[in-house]
Amino acid sequence: DSCRNFHCKRGKVCHVDKQKKPSCICQDPAACPPTKDYERVCGTDNKTYDGTCQLFGTKCQLEGTKMGRQLHLDYMGSCKYIPHCTDYEVDQFPLRMRDWLKNILMQYYKRDLDTSGFLTEKQRSEVKKIYQNDKNLVAGDHAVELLLHDFEKNYHMYVYPVHWQFHRLDQHPVDRLLTHSELAPLRASLVPMEHCITRFFQECDGDQDKLIALKEWCHCFGIKE
């Protein structure tokens, strides 16, 4: 099977010609396997697709067009009304996001005490310092004032979680720059709950080059140079 070890990017499938030579062609959206309701996704064109196969197959067929360049995965689930994000809300967003990242690491660390594998040894040693800090703000829906006070008082506990999340997303390729597709796993799952996340990341891109550099990312979260 010539296609066995032949990799195609999302939206494309392997095709073998008469000479048994493999190549990548666009996935026919109509040929995508059936999906369940919970597997539906919303595109940036505000259209609901029956799964990522249909979305990326459609994007591939539009390759080279303005519509194709602008079409991305927006969020998981059918398209719904997303409220407008106000200036006040986008200013407060990094406070909640920082706290959320820190608490995800806390959860991973606690799970690792029973079953290792969530964090590497180096990551565990970094998170251990935060976990053992008796001044830790416990997970919960805290007032903005409390989150701001905790960040100012315990600044060092937030630096690693912010860097850790960037490293987690910066994978294809690892170049200290986040593309729209690298941000998608984080954005796509959070958009329905955190309606400011899209505007937040747009404003993070200070030089408007459609890439978020590590320096821009840290600046957005209030991490000093």
Side-chain angles (χ1 to χ4, degrees), residues 67-159:
M67 205 171 162
R69 285 191 296 274
Q70 291 176 341
L71 180 59
H72 298 285
L73 169 63
D74 201 5
Y75 53 89
M76 310 306 288
S78 300
C79 293
K80 53 180 74 70
Y81 171 70
I82 304 293
H84 174 70
C85 176
T86 66
D87 291 347
Y88 174 78
E89 287 175 319
V90 83
D91 284 344
Q92 311 310 320
F93 181 78
L95 299 172
R96 294 198 311 277
M97 191 77 175
R98 274 191 311 246
D99 186 58
W100 182 69
L101 293 176
K102 185 186 65 148
N103 282 304
I104 284 179
L105 276 173
M106 296 296 98
Q107 286 177 18
Y108 280 173
Y109 183 80
K110 281 191 267 192
R111 285 185 204 170
D112 261 15
L113 295 176
D114 301 321
T115 315
S116 62
F118 290 99
L119 300 170
T120 65
E121 196 172 327
K122 185 180 176 185
Q123 287 171 336
R124 259 197 308 277
S125 68
E126 289 287 343
V127 181
K128 186 179 182 180
K129 299 169 197 170
I130 307 172
Y131 183 75
Q132 292 180 334
N133 193 317
D134 57 0
K135 297 193 286 282
N136 230 333
L137 191 65
V138 294
D141 189 14
H142 300 295
V144 165
E145 293 75 20
L146 183 58
L147 290 174
L148 184 58
H149 173 72
D150 193 61
F151 178 62
E152 290 170 349
K153 186 181 167 190
N154 301 306
Y155 170 82
H156 63 282
M157 294 203 300
Y158 291 91
V159 177

Side-chain angles (χ1 to χ4, degrees), residues 166-175 177-178 182:
F166 185 93
H167 170 71
R168 238 177 138 207
L169 295 170
D170 182 26
Q171 297 296 329
H172 309 290
V174 179
D175 57 2
L177 295 167
L178 295 183
E182 284 176 317

